[in-house]
Amino acid sequence: MHLGRIASPDGVAFVSIDGDPQVAREIAEHPFGTPTFTGRSWPLADVRLLAPILATKVICVGKNYAAHAAEMGGDAPADPVIFLKPNTAIVGPNVPIQLPANAAPVHYEGELAAVIGRPCKDVPAARAAEHILGYTIANDVSARDQQQADGQWTRAKGHDTFCPVGPWIVTDVDPADLELRTEVNGEVKQRSRTSMMLHDIGAIVEWVSAVMTLLPGDLILTGTPEGVGPIEHGDTVAITVEGIGTLSNPVVRKGNPRGARAGGAESRGEE
């Protein structure tokens, strides 16, 4: 099943998306458990896709691909390295990523994201799948200069629009070995497979749920592969994950309507 959120002439709704051509069928209340339907539907072409979920929290895993840890000048961690992004960073497909006027370089990071389906705590890795609603795509946008200056990642990764998510949640995909590809203006920048993760989905859910209670709709971003790089005003970032789809977002510079590039030479952050 493909689960999403839409804005239609009738308001905002959770939907199931299926058919050819694709149709969005309205879900009553919420998509958790066994969804029920209202009977209303719209051609997908006639509505606007929103971020498929508004999470209570966004948990991210850093340095979860060895090649990415190496390109950032660090060692692959023995245990998952986790951090949080505010839920106010979440935006949906085709919504512009807004580059802060005082930040450069800002990097894309294409990632597979897991969506929690029910409250859970202290989940063993072997039972992680029981607590996952499905999987979507995310972009862990990062202001590298702020990351380097602060020595931690909250400001650099917490700006509004720095967590594009979508286009929908797929409930029946196996996350173990999916191709992940990031393109900027049609040029491939990242290409890897989820089988290259240092810590798989089960290990991540076990590690995170030992720290904090996970709630329905919470997002876990599972890390980015090698190939991260800068984005500028006028770019378009498209992240494709096999079996899920493509998340695409344009890029704009706040306070810079003509698109002049801010900042100097590219610097490296820590994740």
Side-chain angles (χ1 to χ4, degrees):
M1 183 178 289
H2 288 45
L3 301 172
R5 284 174 66 245
I6 62 162
S8 77
D10 300 311
V12 174
F14 285 107
V15 295
S16 173
I17 300 163
D18 52 36
D20 185 14
Q22 291 176 303
V23 172
R25 297 188 297 137
E26 185 178 39
I27 293 172
E29 298 183 353
H30 60 73
F32 305 106
T34 302
T36 58
F37 295 90
T38 67
R40 295 201 301 177
S41 64
W42 304 266
L44 189 62
D46 293 348
V47 299
R48 180 165 59 92
L49 281 171
L50 307 174
I53 205 74
L54 291 178
T56 300
K57 53 186 173 291
V58 182
I59 307 103
C60 307
V61 182
K63 302 180 181 179
N64 199 28
Y65 289 76
H68 174 60
E71 79 174 345
M72 303 313 288
D75 295 327
D79 295 313
V81 175
I82 61 174
F83 60 95
L84 296 173
K85 291 172 84 87
N87 59 7
T88 48
I90 296 172
V91 293
N94 303 312
V95 175
I97 298 166
Q98 298 183 23
L99 308 180
N102 63 345
V106 175
H107 282 191
Y108 57 82
E109 293 191 7
E111 310 201 10
L112 174 71
V115 183
I116 297 300
R118 62 183 188 180
C120 58
K121 182 75 168 74
D122 296 321
V123 178
R127 299 190 62 182
E130 300 172 22
H131 303 274
I132 294 173
L133 174 66
Y135 297 90
T136 187
I137 305 168
N139 188 350
D140 176 21
V141 182
S142 306
R144 296 298 187 203
D145 58 335
Q146 295 179 2
Q147 190 174 359
Q148 190 173 62
D150 294 353
Q152 48 89 9
W153 304 346
T154 304
R155 179 169 67 122
K157 292 171 174 282
H159 290 277
D160 290 355
T161 76
F162 270 29
C163 190
V165 179
W168 39 60
I169 300 163
V170 178
T171 62
D172 55 358
V173 67
D174 183 347
D177 186 28
L178 304 175
E179 184 184 68
L180 186 155
R181 184 176 73 254
T182 302
E183 299 179 5
V184 178
N185 304 327
E187 181 180 351
V188 176
K189 300 292 188 178
Q190 293 181 289
R191 175 171 272 156
S192 188
R193 303 193 70 86
T194 57
S195 56
M196 300 300 292
M197 289 183 190
L198 296 170
H199 310 286
D200 65 15
I201 301 293
I204 292 168
V205 171
E206 181 176 286
W207 183 265
V208 173
S209 67
V211 177
M212 64 190 79
T213 298
L214 296 172
L215 300 175
D218 282 352
L219 283 167
I220 301 180
L221 277 58
T222 60
T224 196
E226 72 277 13
V228 300
I231 48 178
E232 295 285 357
H233 180 100
D235 288 345
T236 297
V237 184
I239 303 164
T240 301
V241 175
E242 180 183 0
I244 298 178
T246 298
L247 169 67
S248 182
N249 297 88
V251 181
V252 300
R253 172 76 64 181
K254 290 172 64 177
N256 191 0
R258 296 185 180 180
R261 297 190 174 192
E266 179 180 345
S267 62
R268 291 293 191 184
E270 296 181 30
E271 191 276 311

